[in-house]
Amino acid sequence: MIALLVVACEVAFWVLLAAGLALRYVARKPKLGAAVLLCEPLLEVVLLVVTAIDLKSGAEPDWKHGLAAVYIGFTVGLGHHTIKKVDAWVAHRWFGGPPPVKPPKYGTARAIHEWRTAARWILAAVVALALLQAAVWYVGPDGAINSLQSWQQKMLLVIGINVIIAGGYTLFPKQAPKDADAVDREPADRL
């Protein structure tokens, strides 16, 4: 049941996003569209409550409970940025908005962009780690917590990979070609 709820939350995320953007741009009701988009966190609350109830009712923790924690973490860390990116793309593609800002390609600006991206992924992994640890404590030492601890190891790997990638762009910045003009250099996007 938990795995199906994770899938339902993901589908509902995109449905709410589409509905919010349709209200904003097609119906020209930006406040109502924003209100619909603000309903997104309710999906995670529902998933968290159902997962806790499932564990409390005696279900043995398995990969599905870990997946629920990871999904919530990734929505917290990456959800807002995803909504902003899709909003900018929809505004440009169909409603005459400016083109979305492209990430910088070279130098310090690229390194800053990569650290901001890493920060979002690290936040997602840390939230997932915290939820997984809460589930481990909730179940107790006598429960089968191996699958939850396995997810924790994967989240540590996500953090490590992101630090390595961002660190690589910092230590070995890609240099602009000699004939590149200033138009190719775009500012790093915000968190």
Side-chain angles (χ1 to χ4, degrees):
M1 179 176 111
I2 299 297
L4 290 175
L5 187 57
V6 170
V7 171
C9 284
E10 180 65 13
V11 169
F13 174 87
W14 291 103
V15 168
L16 283 174
L17 179 56
L21 293 175
L23 286 168
R24 179 176 180 166
Y25 293 111
V26 177
R28 303 221 187 272
K29 299 196 180 281
K31 289 182 181 178
L32 185 57
V36 169
L37 292 176
L38 287 173
C39 292
E40 299 272 359
L42 294 175
L43 299 171
E44 283 65 48
V45 171
V46 168
L47 181 59
L48 182 63
V49 168
V50 169
T51 302
I53 289 171
D54 191 45
L55 289 172
K56 187 67 171 175
S57 66
E60 187 172 315
D62 61 9
W63 67 271
K64 296 174 282 228
H65 297 96
L67 178 64
V70 170
Y71 176 80
I72 292 168
F74 279 60
T75 302
V76 168
L78 302 166
H80 179 70
H81 181 72
T82 301
I83 290 169
K84 281 177 49 178
K85 288 293 211 183
V86 172
D87 181 33
W89 181 78
V90 167
H92 172 67
R93 178 81 168 101
W94 286 298
F95 299 100
V101 175
K102 293 182 181 179
K105 294 180 182 179
Y106 309 108
T108 304
R110 180 60 186 225
I112 291 169
H113 168 77
E114 291 300 329
W115 278 109
R116 286 183 176 147
T117 301
R120 285 188 286 274
W121 282 93
I122 291 169
L123 173 63
V126 167
V127 169
L129 279 167
L131 290 172
L132 288 163
Q133 188 59 45
V136 166
W137 290 332
Y138 191 63
V139 171
D142 298 332
I145 56 175
N146 291 340
S147 65
L148 299 175
Q149 291 172 330
S150 173
W151 278 107
Q152 287 179 316
Q153 292 169 354
K154 290 175 178 118
M155 294 303 97
L156 291 173
L157 185 63
V158 167
I159 291 171
I161 289 170
N162 278 280
V163 168
I164 289 170
I165 291 171
Y169 277 97
T170 302
L171 296 174
F172 309 105
K174 186 176 177 183
Q175 299 300 318
K178 301 266 187 232
D179 60 343
D181 58 0
V183 176
D184 288 340
R185 298 182 192 164
E186 304 249 359
D189 64 340
R190 298 274 178 228
L191 272 176

